[in-house]
Amino acid sequence: MTYIGIIITFVFINNFILTQFLGLCPFIGVSKNVDSAVGMGFAVTFVMSIASLTTWAIYRWLLVPLNLGFLQTITFILVIAALVQLVEMVIQKISPPLYKALGIYLPLITTNCAVLGIALIAVRSNYNALESFVAGFAAGLGFLLAIMLMSTIREKLDSEWVPRPFRGTPIAFITGGLMALAFMAFDKALLRNLIG
Amino acid sequence: MIREFTKGLFKENPIFVIALGLCPALAVSTQVVNALGMGAGVIFVLLGSNIFVSLLKNFIPEKVRIPAYIVIIASFVTIVDLVMQAYSPSLSSSLGVFVQLIVVNCVILGRAEAFANQNTLGNSVLDALGMGIGFTLGLVLISLIREVFGAGTITIFAFGSFDGVIEIPGLSESPARVIGLATGALLVMGYLKGLFNWMEAKRAGERGNSASDGAGGSAA
């Protein structure tokens, strides 16, 4: 599969939020305004790209040679937690304004199932190093796209009348459902038509 | 004491009231059998992690408690993953990557952080059972709606000559397939949550309280 194919697959066809339900908690929780949603989207994209590459290297060069495949889950989650800490410290050092903007969202990324999800999926799909990185980046972009669209819709919804029991998260789920319906238009046939 | 058990079932139901652990709840709720399998896995991990966190609460330094909890949880998830692969390969393959993703299920880390590290072993066990069963009930409810309307069947465990699939006459010929797809999962979840908010507001109103805003419950 070409790299463009991987990108289209993870951004549109297998969009992590809208078709796989990975990263649903921040999608509902952090989509109340556009600025924080976009900040979260970029932070997640960044962590996912690096995490998928790092976990690939650890799996291929450490766990497989030592025959420790069963430690996959524990190793991956620890690597991701450490990585998020590292990213937090690096951003704090080189760009205090960005750190301030992302501050509260960074630690939350550890428990975002999209990050562990892409690490596990990349290993299951037998991707090579570059394919893992591209898949992580593309899945992050898909997350960014979905959470950005959602936050713009929710900002508009704030000024609309919604029946009382549906205010807040229920209407967000229903909005997400309708977005998922739109994303059903992207399927494997589209990929075949685009890149043959 | 018994309230530690029952609160997870309805009043603090992890899925509908405190909105935790949503990713697996929606992803695996295409068939009832998947929901039951996932629920069993979550109950086991929750029980194990609550017991260990409760026992070790005086030994784990405050600063590294979250990584310590994650290691405990990940160990139990690995056990579930390997046992499921060995004894129920079909369930394991249909749940796929979501078995390993129990690690990042916020219900489990949430209970370790919010309950087990401050409470006794007995209460932590009851809390784990209540929350786990509450989570499973929520999953089964979503999957029942999605499978009945989306496929016109109810799939449970196969035993003897029974293949585990119950067909519902009238629905299995022309089901509303969209309910079984990603769209349906989010819509069903939204409407169920709205229903729970409405019931909660109605109960609060009957108690004579001023009607609370139904928009409560934030996803974390």
Side-chain angles (χ1 to χ4, degrees):
Chain A
M1 198 197 250
T2 62
Y3 296 111
I4 297 168
I6 291 180
I7 291 176
I8 294 173
T9 304
F10 279 102
V11 176
F12 296 109
I13 301 169
N14 283 339
N15 185 289
F16 258 31
I17 296 177
L18 294 171
T19 66
Q20 315 258 328
F21 308 111
L22 293 167
L24 207 61
C25 298
F27 177 66
I28 300 293
V30 199
S31 60
K32 289 193 189 81
N33 73 70
V34 177
D35 289 342
S36 52
V38 171
M40 183 71 174
F42 277 111
V44 168
T45 309
F46 186 63
V47 174
M48 280 173 88
S49 320
I50 302 177
S52 57
L53 189 62
T54 319
T55 50
W56 179 88
I58 286 175
Y59 185 75
R60 275 299 132 82
W61 293 337
L62 204 68
L63 295 184
V64 172
L66 295 177
N67 215 356
L68 290 173
F70 64 92
L71 285 179
Q72 194 192 34
T73 316
I74 300 182
T75 323
F76 281 15
I77 190 71
L78 285 179
V79 166
I80 290 167
L83 201 65
V84 171
Q85 282 279 319
L86 195 73
V87 168
E88 204 177 333
M89 289 191 300
V90 168
I91 294 181
Q92 192 175 15
K93 194 85 184 165
I94 56 175
S95 171
L98 182 66
Y99 177 74
K100 229 175 154 183
L102 294 178
I104 44 169
Y105 305 117
L106 277 171
L108 282 179
I109 297 175
T110 309
T111 51
N112 184 333
C113 20
V115 182
L116 184 59
I118 188 67
L120 295 170
I121 287 171
V123 164
R124 279 177 184 228
S125 318
N126 277 324
Y127 286 155
N128 64 32
L130 192 58
E131 281 169 343
S132 297
F133 176 75
V134 170
F137 178 68
L141 278 187
F143 180 88
L144 173 66
L145 176 71
I147 199 169
M148 198 172 73
L149 292 174
M150 183 66 169
S151 63
T152 51
I153 296 175
R154 279 185 84 175
E155 280 198 345
K156 293 220 162 39
L157 265 178
D158 277 348
S159 56
E160 298 292 327
W161 183 83
V162 175
R164 187 174 281 275
F166 282 95
R167 282 179 204 168
T169 42
I171 193 75
F173 274 111
I174 293 168
T175 312
L178 297 175
M179 282 169 68
L181 194 61
F183 268 72
M184 275 169 62
F186 302 111
D187 60 2
K188 289 263 180 326
L190 174 93
L191 190 64
R192 268 200 303 279
N193 291 338
L194 276 178
I195 58 171
Chain B
M1 190 115 166
I2 195 77
R3 283 192 46 219
E4 304 297 352
F5 176 69
T6 53
K7 70 173 192 287
L9 301 183
F10 303 103
K11 215 169 119 257
E12 292 180 30
N13 185 289
I15 293 185
F16 296 114
V17 182
I18 40 185
L20 290 176
L22 294 171
C23 316
L26 296 187
V28 305
S29 61
T30 45
Q31 287 190 335
V32 178
V33 66
N34 292 349
L36 289 170
M38 188 71 187
V42 167
I43 291 174
F44 177 78
V45 176
L46 194 54
L47 200 58
S49 80
N50 258 16
I51 289 174
F52 270 69
V53 169
S54 178
L55 286 175
L56 296 172
K57 62 177 179 284
N58 297 326
F59 300 98
I60 297 174
E62 181 74 13
K63 286 221 155 143
V64 293
R65 66 182 196 287
I66 301 289
Y69 299 161
I70 289 180
V71 173
I72 293 172
I73 295 168
S75 313
F76 282 102
V77 170
T78 307
I79 296 173
V80 169
D81 188 27
L82 295 179
V83 168
M84 216 177 255
Q85 277 176 27
Y87 292 102
S88 182
S90 64
L91 185 64
S92 175
S93 71
S94 63
L95 293 179
V97 76
F98 285 93
V99 179
Q100 282 163 298
L101 285 175
I102 297 177
V103 175
V104 284
N105 187 322
C106 343
V107 176
I108 295 164
L109 190 59
R111 292 328 285 173
E113 171 71 8
F115 195 89
N117 71 350
Q118 298 145 15
N119 284 281
T120 58
L121 180 62
N123 279 350
S124 300
V125 168
L126 288 176
D127 179 75
L129 286 175
M131 283 288 162
I133 294 169
F135 180 81
T136 311
L137 283 180
L139 265 184
V140 169
L141 178 63
I142 300 174
S143 62
L144 204 58
I145 296 174
R146 286 184 67 194
E147 207 193 340
V148 166
F149 291 102
T153 56
I154 298 174
T155 313
I156 47 172
F157 297 104
F159 51 89
S161 59
F162 175 59
D163 66 351
V165 182
I166 302 164
E167 288 201 2
I168 295 158
L171 266 175
S172 55
E173 294 88 39
S174 55
R177 292 209 187 277
V178 72
I179 302 291
L181 301 173
T183 312
L186 289 159
L187 290 178
V188 168
M189 183 67 206
Y191 282 110
L192 279 176
K193 189 129 176 48
L195 183 73
F196 268 71
N197 282 347
W198 178 73
M199 290 190 327
E200 187 61 37
K202 211 174 135 198
R203 227 176 45 198
E206 277 170 5
R207 278 203 303 265
N209 300 342
S210 58
S212 62
D213 193 355
S218 60

